[in-house]
Amino acid sequence: MKPSQPMLRHVFAGVAALWMLSHGVAAQAQTVFVETFGNSAARVNNAYVPAGNFAYKASGVVGDGDYTVMPPQNIAGSTGSAYWTDLPSDHTGDPSGALMVLNAGPALNEFYVRDFNVQPGHKYRVSAWRYVVNGDMTTLPAPGGPISWRMEVRDPGTGNALVQSGDLPSTSTGTWLESTYEFTAPQSVGAQARLALVNRSPVTSGNDFYIDDISVVDITPAAVPTLEEWALMLLSVTLVGLAALGLRRSGRPGF
């Protein structure tokens, strides 16, 4: 190996690293968690549904304040309730996938609560899919007007809300609708935060829906290079050019 080759290789490595930095090597979204409700063939409960707020029904009617997790093909038959709608698959189109069946009823309670890892200053997107079977039946024509839920991010230690989406209404029935909320974790947050999905419609007649694919994703953008980093990259490129020119003039095959 020629004496100049190690130096040039180091310079090239530096240039490559700085080029990647300057172009952001765009930060890829990192999934913190996703709740798909699995692939159960029978009714099951879910550990993140507060038992004091909503009762798990292993069989029979899913009434106001009740829920179950099950495959979607025989919800009406399993519950004995014709107002539920059978679906061929879960939200993703998986015929073996399960979903959450929720009769939210009039109580403005959390129906899904889960802690997740968080970093101060990072940006996150919360997402959840909802299929409204029966909306607010006091708002006609049937199947009723929009119903609402809210996404809250809380301090696990105090239970206090750090940020929250405000009420997110459904816009239609009989189709999957995604609700999203983006937030930046405050500098005061600890190592974990708590996601809470909250019923915001005090409706007895209606307020029946399916839930699937709840997720939190870190969408923090890539860091922007500083002026010093740009200057170092420019210097490295210049050194490479000068070294290559010197080798060419001397007739030495440096690389």
Side-chain angles (χ1 to χ4, degrees), residues 9-232:
R9 290 185 185 279
H10 285 302
V11 173
F12 271 125
V15 170
L18 285 169
W19 184 89
M20 293 172 67
L21 177 63
S22 67
H23 285 73
V25 183
Q28 304 235 344
Q30 299 291 320
T31 299
V32 180
F33 79 80
V34 60
E35 173 68 81
T36 67
F37 295 105
N39 297 86
S40 175
R43 288 202 196 187
V44 295
N45 66 346
N46 183 275
Y48 301 107
V49 179
N53 293 348
F54 291 91
Y56 165 61
K57 296 304 293 287
S59 62
V61 174
V62 179
D64 286 337
D66 295 339
Y67 87 97
T68 192
V69 174
M70 64 179 297
Q73 290 85 0
N74 188 36
I75 297 175
S78 176
T79 60
S81 303
Y83 57 79
W84 290 111
T85 298
D86 294 337
L87 300 178
S89 65
D90 68 3
H91 155 254
T92 64
D94 182 359
S96 64
L99 47 74
M100 180 178 173
V101 178
L102 180 70
N103 190 330
L108 303 183
N109 287 333
E110 306 93 336
F111 54 83
Y112 188 88
V113 179
R114 181 168 180 169
D115 291 358
F116 62 96
N117 294 330
V118 67
Q119 296 186 57
H122 279 222
K123 188 174 183 179
Y124 296 87
R125 177 186 293 122
V126 182
S127 171
W129 290 83
R130 169 177 45 171
Y131 185 107
V132 178
V133 180
N134 290 301
D136 179 358
M137 297 301 289
T138 64
T139 306
L140 298 177
I147 57 176
S148 297
W149 61 8
R150 184 166 68 200
M151 298 173 168
E152 295 184 2
V153 179
R154 300 173 176 171
D155 182 328
T158 65
N160 295 331
L162 299 171
V163 292
Q164 56 101 355
S165 66
D167 292 354
L168 302 171
S170 62
T171 57
S172 59
T173 57
T175 187
W176 284 106
L177 172 71
E178 183 184 24
S179 292
T180 62
Y181 175 57
E182 295 182 3
F183 69 96
T184 299
Q187 293 298 324
S188 60
V189 73
Q192 287 194 319
R194 176 168 295 164
L195 172 65
L197 302 184
V198 187
N199 175 39
R200 293 296 299 162
S201 294
V203 177
T204 300
S205 181
N207 210 5
D208 309 318
F209 48 95
Y210 308 144
I211 305 165
D212 204 5
D213 297 316
I214 303 167
S215 65
V216 174
V217 178
D218 187 333
I219 57 171
T220 307
V224 177
T226 66
L227 289 177
E228 290 80 5
E229 289 167 340
W230 279 108
L232 183 56

Side-chain angles (χ1 to χ4, degrees), residues 232-247:
L232 183 56
M233 183 184 69
L234 179 60
L235 176 61
S236 297
V237 171
T238 302
L239 288 174
V240 168
L242 290 174
L245 181 61
L247 287 173

